[in-house]
């Protein structure tokens, strides 16, 4: 037998042994994927926005299946798909899902160009992160909306735009899915997810300034001055003042709007409420 033939046979035997070893290992250490993973993932919108707190829809699908194995998927939700998607997922997994109250992004700054005049001109990279890194921006307020639109860029649903007249970011309630991408990207942490509220009505403080009253008012005419009048007026204990800034707790707020009426700087914003009725003037009132 020639040396070449011996080498070929030896290589063939080694290859056969290696194939057998690989086959045994693949069967022994095979990771079996739960078929429900693909089924749940197919029900999710595949936006991969991260609003659920997981790295994409695949991560949420895995968490939902594991939660079902433990007997509960409470606390897990897809903000983009909303109730309809979660009901479908719960039905597939044989679970009950709690009805989460819908939320919407809120920009806690009401300092438009009319109330917060420019004091400087910025000529660098036109992003909120870059402008914020350089200082207070183009106004004297170091807490207000910079208006460069980083939030607009990251929103996959076209729910945010920068109003050219006010210079402020604005959220479209109907398009917002409360994914939280805008919340994460805002360098001044102005955007928060709040309960959408009945009939999309909500009350919040449209200011994020922690400056003392006189300083805050000098920078913006509608700044919160931390006077505490709203806190004293609220009958439900929904308002607290901390570090010169008022905050309305959405879980406690009953939308009575008493705080709005006593705010001396009009820093409190009430959204989607009907206009107050104006009583018609009679002859007696005119006289």
């Amino acid at each position: 037998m020639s040396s070449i033939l011996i080498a070929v046979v030896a290589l063939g035997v080694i290859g056969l042994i290696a194939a057998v070893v690989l086959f045994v290992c693949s069967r022994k250490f095979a990771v079996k994927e739960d078929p429900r993973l693909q089924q749940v993932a197919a029900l999710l919108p595949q936006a991969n926005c991260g609003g659920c707190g997981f790295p994409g829809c695949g991560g949420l699908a895995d968490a939902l299946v594991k939660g079902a194995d433990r007997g509960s998927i409470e606390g897990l939700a897809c903000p983009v798909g909303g109730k309809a998607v979660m009901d479908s997922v719960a039905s597939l997994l044989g679970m009950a899902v709690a009805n989460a109250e819908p939320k919407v992004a809120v920009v806690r700054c009401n300092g438009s160009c009319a109330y917060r005049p420019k004091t400087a001109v910025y000529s660098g990279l036109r992003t909120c992160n870059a402008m914020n890194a350089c200082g207070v921006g183009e106004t004297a307020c170091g807490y207000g909306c910079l208006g460069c639109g980083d939030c607009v860029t990251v929103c996959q649903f076209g729910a945010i735009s920068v109003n050219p007249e006010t210079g402020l970011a604005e959220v479209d309630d109907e398009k917002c899915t409360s994914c939280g991408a805008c919340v994460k990207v805002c360098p001044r942490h102005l955007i928060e997810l709040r309960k959408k509220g009945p009939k999309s009505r909500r009350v919040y403080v449209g200011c994020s300034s922690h400056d003392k009253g006189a300083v805050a008012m000098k920078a913006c005419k509608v700044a919160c001055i931390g006077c505490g009048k709203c806190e004293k007026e609220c009958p439900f204990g929904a308002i607290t003042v901390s570090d010169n800034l008022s905050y309305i707790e959405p879980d406690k707020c009953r939308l009575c709007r008493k705080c709005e009426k006593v705010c001396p700087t009009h820093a409190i914003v009430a959204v989607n409420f009907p206009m107050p009725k104006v009583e018609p003037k009679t002859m007696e009132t005119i006289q």
Side-chain angles (χ1 to χ4, degrees), residues 22-186:
L22 288 174
F23 175 77
V24 172
C25 290
S26 66
R27 297 300 296 269
K28 184 176 180 61
F29 300 107
V31 178
K32 295 182 180 179
E33 185 179 272
D34 193 318
R36 295 175 298 172
L37 276 173
Q38 293 297 329
Q39 296 171 343
V40 172
L43 293 174
L44 298 176
Q46 300 303 317
N48 294 315
C49 61
C52 58
F54 295 92
C57 294
L60 176 60
D62 182 61
L64 286 165
V65 171
K66 289 179 179 176
D69 291 339
R70 292 193 299 268
S72 174
I73 58 173
E74 186 177 353
L76 301 174
C78 173
V80 178
K83 186 178 183 300
V85 167
M86 290 309 299
D87 284 346
S88 299
V89 171
S91 176
L92 173 67
L93 297 175
M95 294 277 103
V97 60
N99 291 327
E101 191 168 348
K103 294 185 176 182
V104 66
V106 169
V107 182
R108 295 185 57 220
C109 176
N110 202 31
S112 64
C113 299
Y115 301 123
R116 188 167 50 116
K118 289 187 177 183
T119 57
V121 177
Y122 174 79
S123 59
L125 182 63
R126 203 74 188 177
T127 69
C128 296
N129 271 296
M131 186 182 291
N132 186 63
C134 292
V136 296
E138 295 185 319
T139 71
C141 178
Y143 300 90
C145 178
L146 294 164
C148 294
D150 288 19
C151 50
V152 179
T153 303
V154 299
C155 181
Q156 299 182 41
F157 310 99
I160 307 182
S161 59
V162 175
N163 189 319
E165 294 183 3
T166 63
L168 300 176
E170 297 178 352
V171 179
D172 185 328
D173 289 8
E174 299 303 318
K175 294 181 180 180
C176 180
T177 63
S178 68
C179 70
C182 56
V183 177
K184 297 174 184 176
V185 78
C186 180

Side-chain angles (χ1 to χ4, degrees), residues 239-258:
I239 306 178
T240 54
V241 179
S242 177
D243 195 13
N244 305 312
L245 180 64
S246 295
Y247 181 78
I248 300 176
E249 178 57 54
D251 291 328
K252 295 180 180 179
C253 180
R254 296 295 179 268
L255 307 178
C256 68
R257 300 178 68 184
K258 290 184 177 180

Side-chain angles (χ1 to χ4, degrees), residues 163-216:
N163 189 319
E165 294 183 3
T166 63
L168 300 176
E170 297 178 352
V171 179
D172 185 328
D173 289 8
E174 299 303 318
K175 294 181 180 180
C176 180
T177 63
S178 68
C179 70
C182 56
V183 177
K184 297 174 184 176
V185 78
C186 180
R188 292 189 169 178
H189 311 292
L190 294 176
I191 307 175
E192 78 168 308
L193 298 180
R194 293 180 69 91
K195 289 183 178 181
K196 201 167 187 178
K199 297 182 180 180
S200 295
R201 295 173 183 173
R202 52 195 173 275
V203 178
Y204 61 93
V205 179
C207 179
S208 299
S209 174
H210 291 284
D211 286 335
K212 291 185 177 180
V215 178

